[in-house]
């Protein structure tokens, strides 16, 4: 049996007949940039994210960049974030000449540990970026409480968490702004790159809209220097079709996750495997299903590979240990929980079309692994 980490082919096969006509429609219209599908998708996703605005852009990475530009981030400013995330969270800060200031993670959820933050806040702190890692929201109540008094805005990196909830509130609606990614492997993935900024703040929405189109309110009148970062009409059309299936897919992921955890709990394992911790006051959309394997993680991954099972480490090198961030002066050991997570976590196959037989095979294989 083969169990890939993710199977986009299966999704495409089921959507082929729905996707082809809208692709033709975009070609017939010859409107490839900021057309009616972009507007429809923006409206639908603002509503879905419980915000009044959603602004499409070229990628999730650019969404972070645009959100920070909308805050007037300047060289020398500081932004507090997690070191245990995809590179783009840190690079958006660095690209604007600002300094990423990392806070270690909560070992249970892998999300930023809000208790670490107060000591890191300085007069230069311009934003806090929690990342809703793997599809589960960071503890937004404590983050909002910490940021409120000094008045520091929060940008939620919701690239992995579209539709996730924290105490009934949707990812991307709790901070001043939120950012989404439509990278093909995300829960709502396009046929290429795409991203979005969500916000209920009028000024931020206007600013991001302007910044994504060269900083102009109208075509050739530029109020500031922006970038060219728009969501393609073709991507928007494809995403609009896929959006109708998003909740069903995310619910299927959650069902598969629950089955994995039950199977793992009942299995007679020869090594310690901890299933993901799921908060009981939220909605986890399981972008990834990540186990913790304190010992022999890499050997287990190799063994599973030999048995036709795809796994991956998200993420093997925390941001503070990246070569490009050496200048920040962090050391090995600076963030022990992030480093431990990088050494111990392993993502198992997760996609809506995963079958029970495949899941049983994955857990059976973990059980037969004799370290
Ligand atoms: C995917 C991702 C991004 C970047 O999104 P792209 O669309 O690939 O640029 C940013 N942050 C996190 C946490 C992500 O998972």
């Amino acid at each position: 049996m083969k169990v890939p980490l993710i199977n986009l082919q299966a999704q495409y096969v089921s959507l082929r007949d729905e996707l082809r006509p809208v692709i033709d429609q975009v070609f017939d219209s010859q409107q490839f940039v900021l057309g009616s599908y972009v507007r429809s998708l923006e409206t639908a996703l603002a509503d879905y994210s419980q915000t009044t605005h959603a602004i499409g852009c070229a990628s999730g990475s650019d969404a972070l960049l645009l959100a920070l530009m909308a805050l007037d981030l300047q060289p020398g400013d500081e932004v507090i974030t997690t070191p245990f995330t995809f590179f783009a969270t840190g690079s958006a800060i660095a690209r604007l000449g600002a300094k990423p200031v990392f806070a270690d993670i909560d070992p249970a959820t892998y999300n930023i540990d809000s208790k670490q933050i107060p000591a890191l806040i300085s007069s230069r702190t311009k934003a806090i970026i929690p990342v809703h890692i793997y599809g589960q929201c960071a503890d937004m109540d404590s983050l909002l409480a910490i940021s409120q008094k000094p008045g520091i805005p929060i940008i939620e990196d919701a690239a992995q968490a579209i539709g996730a909830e924290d105490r009934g509130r949707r990812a991307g609606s709790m901070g001043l702004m939120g950012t989404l990614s439509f990278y093909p492997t995300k829960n709502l993935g396009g046929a290429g790159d795409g991203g979005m900024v969500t916000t209920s703040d009028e000024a931020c929405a206007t600013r991001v809209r302007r910044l994504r189109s060269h900083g102009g309110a109208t075509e050739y009148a530029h109020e500031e220097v922006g970038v060219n970062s728009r969501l393609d009409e073709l991507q928007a059309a494809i995403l609009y079709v896929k959006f109708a299936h998003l909740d069903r897919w995310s619910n299927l992921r959650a069902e598969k996750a629950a089955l994995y955890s039950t199977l793992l709990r009942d299995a007679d394992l020869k090594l310690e495997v901890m299933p993901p911790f799921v908060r009981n006051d939220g909605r986890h959309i399981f972008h990834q299903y990540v186990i913790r394997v304190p010992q022999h993680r890499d050997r287990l991954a190799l063994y599973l590979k030999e048995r036709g099972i795809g796994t991956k480490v998200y993420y093997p090198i925390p941001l503070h240990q990246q070569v490009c961030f050496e200048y920040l002066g962090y050391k090995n050991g600076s963030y022990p929980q992030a480093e431990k997570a990088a050494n111990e976590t392993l993502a198992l196959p997760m996609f809506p079309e995963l079958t029970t037989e495949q899941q049983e095979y994955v857990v059976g294989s973990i059980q037969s692994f004799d370290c």
Side-chain angles (χ1 to χ4, degrees), residues 31-225:
Q31 176 76 50
F32 293 115
V33 174
L34 299 183
S36 63
Y37 272 113
V38 171
R39 281 190 297 276
S40 300
L41 187 72
E42 287 179 341
T43 305
L45 284 187
D47 184 51
Y48 186 73
S49 304
Q50 300 173 348
T51 59
T52 50
H53 299 277
I55 303 109
C57 62
S59 68
S61 304
D62 271 9
L64 285 161
L65 198 66
L66 289 165
L68 288 171
M69 287 173 81
L71 293 180
D72 281 317
L73 200 69
Q74 300 295 323
D77 287 344
E78 296 176 359
V79 177
I80 297 171
T81 191
T82 164
F84 194 61
T85 177
F86 179 62
F87 181 64
T89 319
S91 68
I93 301 165
R95 276 274 281 103
L96 296 171
K99 182 183 173 192
V101 175
F102 300 116
D104 208 356
I105 56 167
D106 172 349
T109 62
Y110 308 106
N111 275 319
I112 195 165
D113 179 357
S114 55
K115 292 190 297 298
Q116 311 281 328
I117 294 178
L120 301 171
I121 292 177
S122 80
S123 59
R124 319 198 86 169
T125 309
K126 290 291 150 59
I128 300 172
I129 309 184
V131 177
H132 303 315
I133 199 92
Y134 305 145
Q136 175 162 250
C137 287
D139 179 357
M140 289 300 295
D141 276 355
S142 36
L143 290 168
L144 289 163
I146 288 162
S147 63
Q148 199 164 28
K149 189 116 181 288
I152 301 167
I154 292 180
I155 297 171
E156 301 169 63
D157 183 341
Q160 303 185 3
I162 186 168
E165 290 174 12
D166 179 352
R167 303 166 179 105
R169 299 159 300 178
R170 283 273 156 101
S173 71
M174 295 171 275
L176 180 64
M177 287 176 270
T179 62
L180 301 173
S181 163
F182 306 124
Y183 184 74
T185 60
K186 297 281 155 77
N187 282 36
L188 179 60
D193 283 307
M196 208 166 261
V197 176
T198 57
T199 185
S200 292
D201 183 278
E202 285 295 329
C204 287
T206 306
R207 194 80 191 277
V208 170
R209 232 172 248 294
R210 192 164 89 187
L211 285 164
R212 77 168 168 185
S213 277
H214 291 298
T218 58
E219 201 176 3
Y220 294 112
H222 307 277
E223 281 128 72
E224 63 181 324
V225 177

